[in-house]
Amino acid sequence: EMMGCVAQSLPQLLPVLLKGMVYPPDKIEELLEDNAIDERGGDDRQQDLAPVFHSAKTKGQYDSDDDDSEGGGSDDEMDDDDGEWSLRKCSAASLDSLAGIFGASYVLPPLLPALQEGLRHSDQWFREASILALGAISDGCMA
């Protein structure tokens, strides 16, 4: 019965979660400042240009306090305020979970119009959030 209620609310919920994945203005400002500092730092070193391969987080890994203790954390994990949950991270995790639970037939019809709008948006941060959302739902919608 609860699953039916959640399924009925997906058309309203999924676009809200997508909007929650857009960086807030203060974080955008921080990212732009960090980028400007990096740009002033000079030429890129070879190790700065090397590809980084991230491993998928599985259930239970979000709770660990020592993920970065050995330097194994990715740059993205470092950018997320020392592992604190933000609206962006919660929205992405919720989309991921909902896609895994309900699958493509329930998630894609209400989300695709919002994703298309986001990918065409003039603001780069909305486009970035839409790309992140595609990644968040990909595993659940492939099953």
Side-chain angles (χ1 to χ4, degrees), residues 33-68:
E33 287 173 8
D34 289 346
N35 189 46
I37 290 169
D38 287 346
E39 291 293 321
R40 288 193 300 258
D43 293 334
D44 290 327
R45 301 173 299 175
Q46 184 62 32
Q47 64 263 30
D48 294 337
L49 300 175
V52 177
F53 299 98
H54 302 284
S55 60
K57 287 192 174 188
T58 57
K59 188 174 184 178
Q61 282 185 305
Y62 296 109
D63 300 337
S64 176
D65 289 337
D66 59 357
D67 282 347
D68 295 333

Side-chain angles (χ1 to χ4, degrees), residues 35-108:
N35 189 46
I37 290 169
D38 287 346
E39 291 293 321
R40 288 193 300 258
D43 293 334
D44 290 327
R45 301 173 299 175
Q46 184 62 32
Q47 64 263 30
D48 294 337
L49 300 175
V52 177
F53 299 98
H54 302 284
S55 60
K57 287 192 174 188
T58 57
K59 188 174 184 178
Q61 282 185 305
Y62 296 109
D63 300 337
S64 176
D65 289 337
D66 59 357
D67 282 347
D68 295 333
S69 62
E70 296 178 7
S74 70
D75 288 341
D76 290 336
E77 291 168 349
M78 301 292 276
D79 289 342
D80 288 334
D81 299 326
D82 300 322
E84 290 182 18
W85 283 87
S86 63
L87 176 61
R88 175 182 168 86
K89 190 183 280 189
C90 291
S91 296
S94 297
L95 269 179
D96 182 19
S97 296
L98 290 169
I101 292 168
F102 290 100
S105 61
Y106 282 90
V107 171
L108 289 179

Side-chain angles (χ1 to χ4, degrees), residues 4-5 8 10 16 24 30 35 38 41 44 50 57 61 66 72 75 77 82 94 108 111 115-116 122 126 134 140 142:
C5 291
Q8 287 179 344
L10 288 177
V16 171
E30 180 184 330
N35 189 46
D38 287 346
D44 290 327
K57 287 192 174 188
Q61 282 185 305
D66 59 357
D75 288 341
E77 291 168 349
D82 300 322
S94 297
L108 289 179
L111 188 58
L115 281 172
Q116 290 172 334
S122 61
F126 281 86
L134 284 170
M142 296 289 284

Side-chain angles (χ1 to χ4, degrees), residues 23-37 125:
Y23 278 116
D26 58 327
K27 185 66 177 178
I28 291 172
E29 184 177 328
E30 180 184 330
L31 290 169
L32 291 174
E33 287 173 8
D34 289 346
N35 189 46
I37 290 169
W125 301 104

